[in-house]
Amino acid sequence: MFADYSWPELGAIFAMQGFAGLILFSVFVLMALGLAIIFGQMGVINMAHGEFMILGAYVTYLLSNLFADYVPALFSMYFFVAMFLAFIASGALGLFVEWALIRHLYKRPLDTLLATWGLSLILQQVYRSVFGAREVGVSIPDWMMGSLPLTDLIEIPINGIFVMVLAVSISLGVYIMMFRSNWGKQVRAINQNRVMAGAVGINTEWTDRLTFGIGCGVAGVAGSAFTMIGSTGPTAGQLYIVDTFLVVVFGGAASLLGTIASAFSISQAQSIMEFFLSGSMAKVLTLLVVVGILMIRPQGLFAMKLRK
Amino acid sequence: MSEQMIIEVEDLTVSFDGFKAVDALNLYFEKNACHVIIGPNGAGKTTVLDLICGRTKATGGSVKFKNKELLSMREDQIVLAGVGRKFQTPSVYEDLTVSENLELSYPKGHSVFGALIFRRDDPVQTRIQEIAETIFLEDLLDEKAAFLSHGQKQWLEIGMLLIQDPELLMLDEPVAGMSVAERKKTAELLNRIIQDRSVIVIEHDMGFVADIATRVTVLHQGKTLSEGSMERVQNDPKVVEVYLGH
Amino acid sequence: MTRSSFMTRKELIGFLILAAVIFLLLPAMLDSFRLNLFGKYLTYAFVAVGLALCWGAGGILSLGQGVFFGLGGYCMAMFLKLEASTPENTAIQSTPGIPDFMDWNQLTELPVWWQPFYSLPLALLAVLAVPVVFAFIIGFAMFTRRVGGVYFAIITQAFAAILTILIIGQQGYTGGVNGITDLRTLLGWDIRTDEAKTTLYFVNGVLLFAVLLIAQYVRKSKLGRLLIAMRDQEDRVRFSGYNVANFKIFIFCLGAAFAGIGGAMFTLQVGFMSPTLVGIVPSIEMVIFCAVGGRLSILGAVYGALLVNWAKTSFSEAFPELWLLGLGGLFIAVVMFFPNGLAGVWSEQIEPRLTKLSKRSDTATPKRAAERAPAE
């Protein structure tokens, strides 16, 4: 299949597909981070994760309309406000859901999975009732439009670069929170020994709630970033949930670095294959390879060996 | 020499991310003896049992049961070869009755097909009755295991091992968490069942150890610290320092 | 200690009541259109019964039962499609004699792997064998490596996604997003008529009872008790000398076989098969059928499948926007408040009261009371 292309063309294809892969990678990282925090640290499967993202996307959509109508002068900056509010909205909903639902089910992970699936159906319907079934798009500020020509064969869209920058900074933020903040220390302590953490005075209940809230908040930011490269519909979240879970599991559930590495390999594989095969076959092959590797190495790419 | 030995552990090592829980350990357990392993917490006692029965995979070394290498076998194969294991915390099937608990350990119908056509016929019934009497639970056969007391669960688990009729019985703290009365009854029970069997016991209660042990091994930091009769071990200054002295 | 090894009196009554509902009550109450709908619901009940064994008894939650349902259904649909695609029926195509969707996708001959589906015995064999072999491969790979719980759920869900994408992407071979439609006859017998659909309803019922009896046998065998034991104390089972993986593989394959039968019957009853029945959403809905009925009860699973689907049809006719809210609420309610589903409500709430009642006056027949139960 390579024979039809000349060398410079092939190089350009790999560069462009590689870049498309980088955008996909950013998307995966943004989605998977929140999930990795919740699943890795708490062992909770949140099937409604996609809907928390979509909430962030809708918040961004609302804000873009508000700014356009009332403060058009500041429109170019609305996105940063939107991102912050998306974090607050999804995070607050996350805190509520933890309190109302998740905390009753910590000992029953499979049931959590079913309950959060129910939650995702409810949220989808709520979105549909409030925002309509049609997909909505936000107006992108001027400075994010267009693309940078690198060579005459390779062009790079600016909004793609922006999403990548976001992904990197949010990952850094989460990393710092996890390993430098007091909350991060408490979360890791609880993850290693819940009873002992409680015994030394960590409020495990509140830390759990906060963890869930922060994971959902990060999902909201991801959704917000999403609006820069695609439109939003009530069921958009569901499309990505399987990929996101595979990214997290493939990376080794307990490792943030693993999540990022696996997001990178999965997205690159998929986007490079996409050029040579049809989109659906590329996806099928990628998923099959990931699932196949998980069958051979169920603990994922990065996992600690522990004394039982 | 290996004729009288039921288990020969040689150069056994396991490390968890660099930490050596068991370090080049050599142990020999005689046939038809009651061998007790003692030692401070974290000495690697439970890990040794886990390694023998395949629950933890060794990093290196060898464990031979009647000259058969166990390290390459699966847990269920090790059990069927004749090694029975009781866990530290009582693990019985809470949703099943006492007699069902015993029945599942009966050494027949262990394949998928075998389990489908398994019938609880007279020999099985008789055997369950017999074991239930040994473990003081003959009146509770139709009770769900969830309703048993802590001590009764321990007995039930011992019973589940007995019905397998293993050549080697490994018990991890069989009297932990028992009342004084239960403890006495258990000592009596163990004394009865170790008569014609090889047994390895982990225990902290020195009175109980003195009661049952034919031979004692002291583990410390994954290595053997001292070995011999109860009397000898008790008077070993090294043992007194790291373990008994406290 | 002696007891009936296969079925207690209470269970026998439960079976008889269900038989009365399926074979007498529903056919007497419903017109042929509604009966056909319930025939469709019955095909889901096959999946739910399999899940009651896998998930309820064995603790193995598969979110990919749609895969097996779909594989069984597609095997049947391929046979029916070939029978419908005679050269005479397809004379207007550029290549007569092959299924219409292949012709639309510029295929000029039947793919080799479609060939066996000219034969009904081979197709029926495939209905069972394809799901089972597939389940065996997944189960073998995962259970021998001790992957379980949520990991297993996620991976099976990934398979549901993969198969859907594959079917939709390869439309020349599979009929794509529309599925395999326009099925007409089974060995010359027209399956589209009302009489045929009513007959198929009864065939469904009979097959479902066969599956229920198999499930009952498994539950009551030592294997059934082992499953419960494994769910609670997997390590203890292993150290009682059982190869736990083999038992899990077996029950997973059995559930897949049931789902495959259900899928094949779906194709016959409804007249098409499409990827909408394979994917993530239908697969997880199948779990809720089982959960609503009571994950431990095979009879409950049947009631669950009938009730949830009946509610779905009625709601989506009347208030389409409410159905998703209702279904979502159902997921949450069942998990939070009724973990044992209808069967639990029956045995914990209704039955004790009935016993009290019948002690007071012996006139209340258990049968009438029991019929009311699933509707509560």
Side-chain angles (χ1 to χ4, degrees), chain A residues 65-139:
Chain A
N65 288 353
L66 274 180
F67 269 70
D69 291 348
Y70 297 105
V71 273
L74 294 175
F75 185 75
S76 57
M77 288 295 111
Y78 87 87
F79 184 72
F80 299 98
V81 184
M83 235 170 43
F84 178 72
L85 286 183
F87 181 83
I88 300 292
S90 295
L93 182 64
L95 290 182
F96 172 74
V97 166
E98 202 279 345
W99 172 79
L101 205 63
I102 309 290
R103 72 188 166 119
H104 305 289
L105 301 171
Y106 278 126
K107 297 230 168 76
R108 294 145 60 191
L110 292 178
D111 283 1
T112 317
L113 199 155
L114 295 178
T116 49
W117 178 265
L119 176 69
S120 84
L121 294 182
I122 291 176
L123 288 176
Q124 280 171 29
Q125 187 53 49
V126 170
Y127 297 153
R128 197 170 292 135
S129 306
V130 177
F131 299 101
R134 289 223 342 265
E135 301 211 332
V136 296
V138 305
S139 330

Side-chain angles (χ1 to χ4, degrees), chain C residues 324-348:
Chain C
L324 266 191
L325 287 183
L327 185 61
L330 197 58
F331 269 97
I332 294 175
V334 144
V335 163
M336 300 272 289
F337 309 113
F338 312 105
N340 291 323
L342 291 171
V345 174
W346 165 248
S347 65
E348 285 152 31

Side-chain angles (χ1 to χ4, degrees), chain B residues 133-138 152 155 175 178-192 208:
Chain B
E133 277 160 27
T134 318
I135 56 172
F136 323 112
L137 296 177
E138 69 269 28
Q152 286 170 327
W155 293 338
V175 296
M178 282 191 178
S179 67
V180 178
E182 283 176 330
R183 198 171 280 231
K184 244 186 99 194
K185 248 175 144 178
T186 310
E188 181 195 314
L189 167 67
L190 286 182
N191 263 320
R192 206 157 358 121
F208 186 76

Side-chain angles (χ1 to χ4, degrees), chain B residues 53 55 74-76 79 85 87 91-93 95 100 103-104 108-110 115-116 118 125 157 164, chain C residues 1 3 146 217 222-223 225 229 231-233 235-243 246-247 250:
Chain B
C53 70
R55 195 173 186 221
R74 243 189 358 250
E75 294 95 325
D76 54 296
V79 172
R85 163 80 190 272
F87 295 105
S91 61
V92 295
Y93 313 127
D95 269 353
E100 284 171 339
E103 178 203 86
L104 289 190
K108 226 179 87 183
H110 279 229
L116 273 174
F118 179 84
Q125 295 274 27
E157 203 186 347
Q164 287 171 19
Chain C
M1 232 171 82
R3 58 169 179 200
R146 315 231 165 123
Y217 179 83
K222 186 168 106 167
L223 196 143
R225 293 191 285 283
R231 187 189 64 200
D232 297 345
Q233 292 277 356
D235 249 5
R236 183 69 266 172
V237 178
R238 201 167 276 138
F239 290 107
S240 297
Y242 295 95
N243 187 351
N246 284 351
F247 289 87
F250 170 78

Side-chain angles (χ1 to χ4, degrees), chain A residues 134-165:
Chain A
R134 289 223 342 265
E135 301 211 332
V136 296
V138 305
S139 330
I140 301 175
D142 289 336
W143 59 269
M144 236 187 264
M145 308 260 215
S147 53
L148 292 175
L150 271 191
T151 70
D152 41 346
L153 281 175
I154 306 173
E155 282 195 344
I156 295 173
I158 294 178
N159 58 354
I161 299 180
F162 183 71
V163 170
M164 276 162 50
V165 171

Side-chain angles (χ1 to χ4, degrees), chain C residues 246-258:
Chain C
N246 284 351
F247 289 87
K248 290 188 170 176
I249 295 170
F250 170 78
I251 204 70
F252 186 53
C253 287
L254 190 66
F258 289 175

